[in-house]
């Protein structure tokens, strides 16, 4: 466009990719509820919420509104008994960055979850696809990466073992969430790398999971 763009004010919505990890922590908790305020829910990026619902974890939306045309809402989640699901290739573009936390959820779900066409994960900050499978395996979970697909079979056994992050923030964040599961004994080699996208993530997660009341 030509001409002059006038100055304007715009509040940046909360990142749904970061919100996904806290929502997952609430789903895997024994009790309590979490409310995340002012989260961006643009339909091109909210695929994670549809997968949560298919797994049996209802995430409520409240106070839906728009900020300069961008859809925003408060998201509320709590504990749920989750089941396996299949994520199709057509859904991946709207939730590629959330596959690590979805795989962690799948490791606690009933049945085997399938993630199709997630080969893009091999060229992220690390080979995330291989790391997700190998780390879940090291914790006693049946997880396999075959070609561009990922298969994860859930278990109710406490996850125990060592996680290698290779400095990937989303791998660290996903397994920090899993480390809060009752009975878990997980050692993460570099949890500090989560600071890249979510400063004080481990501290925030510890604060939330140590309180069972409604938190904002």
């Amino acid at each position: 466009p030509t001409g002059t763009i006038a100055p304007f004010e715009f509040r940046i919505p909360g990142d749904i990719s970061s919100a996904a990890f806290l929502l997952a922590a609430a789903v895997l908790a024994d009790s309590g509820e979490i409310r995340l305020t002012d989260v961006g829910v643009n339909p091109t990026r909210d695929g994670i919420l549809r997968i949560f619902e298919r797994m049996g974890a209802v995430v409520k939306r409240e106070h839906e509104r728009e900020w300069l045309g961008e859809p925003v809402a408060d998201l509320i989640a709590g504990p749920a008994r989750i089941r396996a699901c299949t994520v199709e290739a057509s859904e991946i573009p709207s939730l590629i960055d959330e596959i690590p936390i979805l795989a962690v959820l799948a490791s606690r779900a009933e049945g085997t979850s399938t993630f199709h066409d997630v080969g893009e994960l091999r060229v992220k900050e690390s080979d995330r696809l291989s790391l997700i499978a190998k780390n879940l395996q090291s914790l006693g979970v049946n997880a396999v990466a075959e070609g561009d697909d990922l298969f994860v079979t859930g278990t109710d056994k406490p996850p125990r073992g060592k996680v290698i992050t290779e400095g990937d923030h989303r791998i660290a964040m996903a397994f920090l969430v899993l480390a809060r599961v009752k009975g878990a004994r997980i050692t993460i080699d570099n949890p500090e790398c989560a600071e890249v996208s979510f400063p004080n993530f481990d501290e925030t997660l510890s604060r939330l999971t140590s309180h069972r009341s409604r938190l904002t």
Side-chain angles (χ1 to χ4, degrees):
T2 59
T4 301
I5 299 175
F8 62 92
E9 293 185 1
F10 176 49
R11 292 180 64 190
I12 305 298
D15 176 30
I16 196 166
S17 293
S18 294
F21 293 88
L22 299 180
L23 294 172
V27 170
L28 294 178
D30 293 329
S31 61
E33 185 178 75
I34 189 170
R35 175 190 290 268
L36 304 179
T37 59
D38 303 337
V39 180
V41 288
N42 190 298
T44 65
R45 289 293 297 120
D46 70 351
I48 180 74
L49 301 182
R50 293 187 286 275
I51 304 304
F52 268 62
E53 184 175 357
R54 289 219 300 269
M55 296 182 82
V58 177
V59 179
K60 294 184 250 181
R61 303 189 191 197
E62 290 189 355
H63 303 134
E64 295 186 67
R65 64 270 194 205
E66 288 191 355
W67 289 354
L68 208 63
E70 189 70 13
V72 178
D74 296 348
L75 303 179
I76 304 167
R81 184 170 183 174
I82 51 177
R83 56 185 176 270
C85 75
T86 296
V87 182
E88 302 293 349
S90 60
E91 298 176 291
I92 298 303
S94 69
L95 48 77
I96 187 66
D97 289 333
E98 289 81 70
I99 297 298
I101 190 59
L102 282 176
V104 159
L105 276 180
S107 76
R108 308 303 296 172
E110 294 183 24
T112 299
S113 294
T114 303
F115 301 86
H116 288 296
D117 200 19
V118 289
E120 183 183 335
L121 290 174
R122 296 191 185 279
V123 290
K124 291 290 187 177
E125 286 83 340
S126 66
D127 181 348
R128 281 184 186 163
L129 183 52
S130 294
L131 273 182
I132 290 169
K134 290 177 181 177
N135 283 321
L136 286 174
Q137 291 166 11
S138 75
L139 301 179
V141 178
N142 184 355
V144 180
E146 293 183 354
D148 288 341
D149 297 338
L150 175 67
F151 305 89
V152 181
T153 300
T155 177
D156 57 4
K157 294 181 180 179
R160 296 179 179 178
K162 185 175 182 179
V163 168
I164 305 300
T165 65
E166 293 188 7
D168 191 318
H169 58 126
R170 296 200 185 276
I171 294 294
M173 292 167 72
F175 285 95
L176 281 168
V177 170
L178 189 59
R180 265 61 184 191
V181 169
K182 186 176 182 180
R185 294 179 185 172
I186 298 176
T187 301
I188 300 174
D189 69 343
N190 183 14
E192 294 81 11
C193 67
E195 301 282 318
V196 169
S197 62
F198 197 135
N200 302 314
F201 177 74
D202 195 16
E203 178 185 333
T204 300
L205 194 60
S206 296
R207 178 172 59 85
L208 294 176
T209 54
S210 64
H211 294 78
R212 297 307 181 191
S213 59
R214 189 187 188 98
L215 295 173
T216 300

